[in-house]
Amino acid sequence: DAKTTQPTSMDCAEGRAANLPCNHSTISGNEYVYWYRQIHSQGPQYIIHGLKNNETNEMASLIITEDRKSSTLILPHATLRDTAVYYCIVRVGNTNAGKSTFGDGTTLTVKP
Amino acid sequence: NAGVTQTPKFRVLKTGQSMTLLCAQDMNHEYMYWYRQDPGMGLRLIHYSVGEGTTAKGEVPDGYNVSRLKKQNFLLGLESAAPSQTSVYFCASREQGDTEAFFGQGTRLTVV
């Protein structure tokens, strides 16, 4: 599975969009980009994932560059409850290996 | 839905003692994982399983053993606990394919 690089921390004003970047320059053609977040040392929570097209769900949007070497998670209207550590991981979707490796993530702090 | 349940939630061990952490999932998932998370760090994969009766090593397997005798359960054993194994342990499960992982709430283990 490809390695990812994320900024250590970011701040965002409440009500504004939070844009969290992730670099995955060694991503392979069959690897998906997944985003999770972890609030207050709880178990990580799935947010969104994609292969090459941009994706949107009720929580966030995922923008993947055309060369797939980087992506951005967008929380359109950040709230204080979005303060968390956000993890970007890449892994092959259809593989019998199935393992997922998490890095250190980005600590997002949403401020009033 | 219970999802992924970890037992126990907290435990204090003395150096050299043994214990088993239990992870149970009720979603009929094929893949299960054990991670550890040290303070201020991301999750590191200890062992994982891609099906009943199969296990494999992750990034940091030393000092741990696992078993997957039943599809719904994934056990993590510490034969002789060491202070370096003080950590929060997370279990996760997911289905095959490009699917998200579901995490338990964690087990906070302290070895003194």
Side-chain angles (χ1 to χ4, degrees):
Chain A
D1 295 337
K3 182 178 178 178
T4 63
T5 303
Q6 300 177 252
T8 302
S9 63
M10 295 181 63
D11 292 341
C12 177
E14 187 178 19
R16 303 295 295 270
N19 298 285
L20 291 86
C22 179
N23 286 323
H24 32 79
S25 59
T26 60
I27 193 170
S28 301
N30 60 349
E31 287 184 312
Y32 288 73
V33 180
Y34 282 77
W35 283 84
Y36 291 80
R37 72 180 182 183
Q38 186 176 27
I39 299 174
H40 294 311
S41 298
Q42 297 174 13
Q45 173 192 25
Y46 166 80
I47 301 173
I48 198 168
H49 76 282
L51 182 62
K52 54 184 178 181
N53 297 322
N54 298 338
E55 301 288 345
T56 296
N57 63 21
E58 65 278 5
M59 290 183 67
S61 295
L62 174 61
I63 308 298
I64 302 174
T65 58
E66 191 169 344
D67 63 7
R68 302 186 69 244
K69 293 184 177 182
S70 66
S71 61
T72 301
L73 176 74
I74 301 173
L75 307 178
H77 304 288
T79 70
L80 299 179
R81 289 177 294 180
D82 291 322
T83 292
V85 179
Y86 288 77
Y87 296 99
C88 165
I89 66 169
V90 293
R91 65 171 171 82
V92 181
N94 295 311
T95 175
N96 287 330
K99 60 182 180 179
S100 303
T101 300
F102 286 70
D104 291 338
T106 296
T107 298
L108 174 68
T109 303
V110 180
K111 299 184 175 181
Chain B
N1 285 341
V4 178
T5 303
Q6 293 183 228
T7 309
K9 290 183 171 52
F10 302 93
R11 184 73 185 268
V12 177
L13 284 181
K14 293 183 179 180
T15 298
Q17 286 185 318
S18 64
M19 77 163 295
T20 300
L21 281 67
L22 171 63
C23 177
Q25 53 97 1
D26 62 0
M27 297 170 282
N28 202 37
H29 287 168
E30 288 293 332
Y31 298 162
M32 296 187 74
Y33 310 82
W34 275 109
Y35 294 88
R36 62 175 287 173
Q37 185 174 35
D38 299 329
M41 298 182 66
L43 284 76
R44 291 185 291 170
L45 183 63
I46 305 172
H47 286 280
Y48 64 101
S49 168
V50 298
E52 181 179 312
T54 71
T55 63
K57 294 180 180 180
E59 302 172 82
V60 288
D62 294 343
Y64 305 95
N65 56 76
V66 288
S67 64
R68 183 105 180 264
L69 299 180
K70 293 182 178 181
K71 186 176 183 179
Q72 64 267 35
N73 295 336
F74 195 28
L75 280 66
L76 177 71
L78 287 73
E79 291 187 349
S80 179
S84 61
Q85 294 178 304
T86 293
S87 190
V88 180
Y89 291 84
F90 288 102
C91 175
S93 73
R94 71 177 183 91
E95 192 43 81
Q96 296 182 36
D98 60 328
T99 59
E100 73 266 30
F102 293 82
F103 284 81
Q105 288 306 297
T107 295
R108 189 173 299 276
L109 175 66
T110 302
V111 182
V112 297

